[in-house]
Amino acid sequence: MASLNLNQIEEKLNNEFAGEGRRLVFWYDDKADFADEVDNLQLTNAQIYHLTPTNQFRTKVLLEREDTQSNYLLYAPFAKPEVYCNHLEDTLLYSKRFYADRISLICADLGIDEAFKPILEKYSKYFAAKERVERFYSLGVDSYDEKTIELALLCCICKTRVLSFEEVLSKILLVEDEDNNPYLEEMTKYNLQEAFWQQCSDSFGYALTDKALDKLLLSLFVTYADKYIAGKIPASWEPFMCNKQGSVVVFLDSFMNNVQCRDRYAALASYAAGKLQAETALTSLGAEAVVQLDAFIDCDKVIIQWLVEHLLLEDLSACLDGKSIKEICELRSKMHFADKTRAQYALCASAYELIRNVRYQPEQGFNNILEKYLHEDWQVDYWYRQFYTAYDSLKNASGFGKLQQLIENIYSNIYLGKLLPAWNEDAVQAAAQKQAPLQRDFYSRYIKNERDRIVVIISDALRYEVAKQLEQKLQHEERCKEEKLEVQLVLPPSYTALGMAALLPHEQLAMDEGCRVLVDGRRCASLDEREKLLQAANSASLCLQFDELKKMKRDELRSAFANKQVVYIYHNQIDARGDAAKTEDEVFVACQEAVDELYTMLCRLPVSASIVKFIVTADHGFIYQRHVVSENEKIPVNGNNAMVNHRFVIGEAPHGNGAGAISLGTVLANDDARYVSYPRGAQVFKTAGGGTSYVHGGSSPQEMVVPVLCVKMDRGHVETKQAEIKLHTLLKKITSKDVNLIFVQTEPVSETVKAASYKLSFVDRNNKPVSNECLLTADSADSDVSQRMVTARFSFINTEYDSHVSYYLVMKDADTDIERLRQEFVIDMPFMGNFGFDF
């Protein structure tokens, strides 16, 4: 029985005869299914002519002599005769054949050679539904052969948008239910399972006789690992090796780096690692062998263990694959499992920087100590902060316990233990006070004579090293026209009440018997009290809380700042967290949050409120040590004192017991006869309340050296561009399946040049990838061009390359996927491909 009804055939034939020009259509109906119905066809632009086995010559005379103008449907209720006995064979050459069965129509529509019709008939069950046929059509394949037809069917089952077996396999691997994979079930339903495994062999060289998805998965991971492991892979892995390593590398690279596949890749990698006993196998290979491999997170476990061992040995010269500990941390932090391992590598990198100070020695003389702190030593505080920020973010830090003890010893006993006594030899002497401006002179120095509108942001406990981080962040902001970091000294006691008062305009600072700080005889503890003191000096002044400012909308901001010349904004992120015993260990997290909040506000106010001049400063700094201070380590406090703090004591006489002291009159520039006593090292006084890890008020560069960050922003938008990468290598011909290409970042990152990331790969003229994909980040701010060069390694898939056609290096923006470069290459690799041999 016919597979199509007469109406469908009639519509199809009328389409064939539509248009100008003579048309002859031969319809060989092998089984004579339509012999009784063909004359019922209503053809609008053709005549129906019946062929018989004996009227071929008569037909030829009709078509080529008697009627050379009319259109004819030539219907034969039998199969097409062989060429040697078909007198109409030459006529067929300039005519068209019509097929009435579904498979034949598909072949005719898509230009599939009749020789491949049996292939479609083999999978005729798939073509039984109109929806599935339409899906097959929608792939838009240019030409068909047996493998292409089968690949197209696999693509249809997996509903890929392009003809790609890599897409098919990706869809299959994305299914989380390993026991019930709908795509594999569909392949079995339509008899395509053999075609699938043949494609696995053709595309990746999968050679195992066991045609199981889990074995294929293990083969992919083993083949990929073999590419990046230095030396031989474990013997137990060797049976899983695929023959086409380049294609496997390209596929897994694409899969693991695809945003939609990343989470699934992690699950598959974990499964494969378990089956392959990867942790044991990779551990036996050693860190040197796996430093370039990122297929399994077990590689990071091996490398991190190696890093910790060498850091504990204080072996800063240790290398892997020619890379230092710091370089290894940077490399691995950009690899696939960085989201899970970034904190561990940040911890190791910070430890590396801190261990460099294991033989720390301070300078001699206050001025030299101060200069070295401002230019170098602040980084020790910074790296210590980064170490604990990373350490505290770990769910399980047990493997870093000994390293944490080493770091704590270096910071507390070596660095602070040597720096603070040296600092306190001269810190409160009159000569030392002339080495930097004093905080009490802030208003007269920076604000009093300022004619432009200026905003002062006072961030409680924003110490110098945190302000350095903010300064560096602003250097990459296009709207920041100028940033200059200066410092001022806070004399002990360096605590909030006195620091906030010293930043206000005043003629005289004082402290009453109850140790309440007074500005020109007036209290200054509340926001209203401070605003009144500001307005006494400049009526166009205003005080705001930072948290209230964050809630304001644009119109509210403009209204608040309207007609104001001096605005003090009070920000309390660090001290609020550190001063509470329950949250003092979160103070380093608060430091990062403070940097982010201040940066955001400095960028927002120029646009929303037309503010362009800012000063970011602090009331005091702080010392933080994770070391738990025991009671016998604390300095006992004797006698009657007006005020006792962990880091200072105010009393009628110096404290003694080895503590340093300065007269309160010297601090306040008045005749107050009381004394401020402070530890000469990092110790604390024995007093009730609060924690002892986060402290301030004493005499140390961390507490006394506070930043004055002067910032000038641009109201309008500054045109910026992305940092560009260009090919530096002159090579334009590829002759090896593995090649290194050198790229150069054309300009350093700056105010007008923003960091950018790019994806690079090689494609053929049909845009099909023929190499792995490399990710390069252009983020260097180094002015030396030699320091802005980077090497990318490309691995090419195993296939036959034509040296007479063009291939292209394509670079795309990693964020937008917009193509930024297409450079022509010749690929001449005569030993690639399989030379026609079936292996």
Side-chain angles (χ1 to χ4, degrees), residues 645-668:
N645 185 281
H646 285 303
R647 288 285 289 164
F648 69 88
V649 173
I650 299 177
E652 296 298 327
H655 182 272
N657 292 332
I662 183 175
S663 72
L664 189 57
T666 301
V667 175
L668 301 174

Side-chain angles (χ1 to χ4, degrees), residues 433 440 491-492 509 662-676:
Q433 296 172 29
R440 68 189 183 208
L491 297 178
L509 294 175
I662 183 175
S663 72
L664 189 57
T666 301
V667 175
L668 301 174
N670 62 18
D671 57 0
D672 197 314
R674 289 172 293 182
Y675 285 87
V676 180

Side-chain angles (χ1 to χ4, degrees), residues 179-372:
D179 297 325
N180 298 287
N181 193 301
Y183 299 122
L184 293 179
E185 291 172 0
E186 285 283 291
M187 290 176 191
T188 302
K189 179 179 179 181
Y190 296 114
N191 198 31
L192 279 160
Q193 64 273 31
E194 290 185 13
F196 170 76
W197 290 110
Q198 187 59 50
Q199 288 286 345
C200 290
S201 176
D202 294 343
S203 298
F204 303 119
Y206 179 68
L208 291 180
T209 56
D210 189 353
K211 308 304 182 187
L213 191 60
D214 61 338
K215 296 297 189 296
L216 171 62
L217 185 67
L218 297 183
S219 292
L220 294 175
F221 275 98
V222 166
T223 306
Y224 185 91
D226 177 71
K227 172 69 180 176
Y228 295 104
I229 287 176
K232 292 184 177 181
I233 61 173
S236 60
W237 292 12
E238 291 178 358
F240 292 100
M241 279 291 296
C242 291
N243 296 328
K244 297 184 178 181
Q245 188 175 60
S247 299
V248 173
V249 170
V250 170
F251 171 74
L252 269 189
D253 264 344
S254 300
F255 192 85
M256 73 168 69
N257 293 322
N258 187 302
V259 175
Q260 295 177 329
C261 303
R262 288 180 66 86
D263 291 343
R264 180 59 180 159
Y265 175 85
L268 293 173
S270 177
Y271 172 84
K275 291 292 184 180
L276 295 167
Q277 297 182 321
E279 185 171 358
T280 301
L282 297 174
T283 300
S284 66
L285 291 176
E288 179 77 31
V290 301
V291 70
Q292 295 291 346
L293 177 63
D294 63 344
F296 310 108
I297 199 169
D298 304 84
C299 301
D300 295 288
K301 295 176 182 177
V302 173
I303 293 168
I304 290 169
Q305 180 64 34
W306 182 91
L307 291 171
V308 171
E309 289 173 357
H310 285 269
L311 287 169
L312 288 173
L313 293 172
E314 301 172 15
D315 181 10
L316 300 183
S317 63
C319 291
L320 286 178
D321 194 29
K323 295 177 175 60
S324 69
I325 289 176
K326 185 176 181 180
E327 290 171 333
I328 293 165
C329 293
E330 291 174 353
L331 172 69
R332 300 298 302 187
S333 294
K334 296 177 181 178
M335 289 192 168
H336 177 75
F337 290 101
D339 289 346
K340 295 181 175 64
T341 61
R342 187 174 287 111
Q344 288 91 329
Y345 287 115
L347 182 150
C348 290
S350 303
Y352 173 84
E353 297 289 350
L354 288 163
I355 292 170
R356 292 172 60 186
N357 292 277
V358 72
R359 294 178 179 82
Y360 175 81
Q361 291 295 332
E363 297 291 321
Q364 297 297 313
F366 181 83
N367 186 46
N368 292 331
I369 295 173
L370 177 62
E371 286 299 310
K372 188 170 184 286

Side-chain angles (χ1 to χ4, degrees), residues 814-827:
D815 294 323
T816 65
D817 227 32
I818 294 175
E819 187 172 307
R820 294 300 181 88
L821 170 72
R822 179 174 286 261
Q823 193 153 333
E824 187 174 354
F825 272 74
V826 172
I827 301 182

